[in-house]
């Protein structure tokens, strides 16, 4: 995007599928997702990844600004069998919904993609870019992440380590 730069990454997440607990074996039993209806926000990296990696899946797209609400509603009413998004967004949507987390699971255990998050910065202000870069690389930033993510911090830290290639036990299920 013209006029836009990104800061150093401060967070990693990736594409996962939210499914009802009873369908937790979906990828194991249907690794190509052939014929499976998967809800995903339109014009996102998640949609692009799914189209390329799972061409036999039946993708049902919806406006990205409605993501969590439409995604969960689609799971609830059977419009689709899985809802795909970044794991952090899936966890947030489920937590905000008040639905019992024990009835859903993120699959697979590790994300299918590894996507970094950074801040959008103006390209014409290098001093601001350096200031933000320095701030994001300071140690206190880790405690900010821990505070912001709360109980999900260990799970997101495991995603970071997975994406950076650090050996670690598999992330536990959502419930």
């Amino acid at each position: 995007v013209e006029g836009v730069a990104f800061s150093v990454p401060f967070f990693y997440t990736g594409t996962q599928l939210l499914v009802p607990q009873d369908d937790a074996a979906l990828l194991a039993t249907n690794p190509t997702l052939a014929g499976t209806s998967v809800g995903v926000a339109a014009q996102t990296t998640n949609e692009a990844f799914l189209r390329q990696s799972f061409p036999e899946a039946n993708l049902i797209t919806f406006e990205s600004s409605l993501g969590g609400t439409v995604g969960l509603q689609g799971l609830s009413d059977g419009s689709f069998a899985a809802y795909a998004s970044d794991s952090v967004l899936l966890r947030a949507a489920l937590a905000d919904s008040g639905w019992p987390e024990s009835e859903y699971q993120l699959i697979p255990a590790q994300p299918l993609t590894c996507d970094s998050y950074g801040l959008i910065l103006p390209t014409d202000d290098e001093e601001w870019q350096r200031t933000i870069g320095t701030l994001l690389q300071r140690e206190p930033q880790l405690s900010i992440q821990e505070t912001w993510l709360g109980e999900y911090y260990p799970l997101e830290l495991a995603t970071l380590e997975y994406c950076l290639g650090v050996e670690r036990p598999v992330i536990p299920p959502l419930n």
Side-chain angles (χ1 to χ4, degrees), residues 2-173:
E2 191 172 322
V4 171
F6 289 93
S7 70
V8 296
F10 62 89
F11 187 77
Y12 282 83
T13 189
T15 304
Q16 285 186 288
L17 304 174
L18 183 67
V19 296
Q21 190 67 37
D22 294 343
D23 296 330
L26 176 66
L27 277 173
T29 59
N30 185 3
T32 65
L33 296 177
T36 302
S37 297
V38 179
V40 63
Q43 300 179 340
T44 60
T45 56
N46 296 299
E47 180 192 8
F49 167 75
L50 290 171
R51 288 200 185 282
Q52 180 179 9
S53 300
F54 298 95
E56 296 179 47
N58 176 24
L59 298 187
I60 300 171
T61 60
F62 48 83
E63 186 180 329
S64 61
S65 66
L66 304 173
T69 303
V70 172
L72 292 177
Q73 186 61 43
L75 277 178
S76 174
D77 67 19
S79 296
F80 37 83
Y83 167 32
S85 189
D86 291 350
S87 58
V88 67
L89 300 178
L90 292 169
R91 289 181 194 286
L94 191 55
D96 288 347
S97 74
W99 294 3
E101 291 185 12
S102 61
E103 294 182 16
Y104 297 89
Q105 187 166 332
L106 289 179
I107 60 170
Q110 299 290 3
L112 297 164
T113 63
C114 288
D115 305 307
S116 60
Y117 278 34
L119 298 175
I120 296 174
L121 302 170
T123 56
D124 61 353
D125 193 341
E126 290 183 23
E127 183 178 345
W128 182 240
Q129 290 175 24
R130 280 191 301 278
T131 300
I132 295 299
T134 300
L135 175 69
L136 290 175
Q137 293 175 346
R138 288 190 176 158
E139 190 66 32
Q141 191 259 344
L142 294 176
S143 65
I144 292 170
Q145 282 184 345
E146 187 172 3
T147 300
W148 180 67
L149 292 169
E151 66 184 277
Y152 300 109
Y153 180 72
L155 300 170
E156 297 307 328
L157 183 60
T159 297
L160 169 68
E161 291 174 343
Y162 170 76
C163 290
L164 296 177
V166 176
E167 290 293 321
R168 185 176 172 92
V170 174
I171 299 171

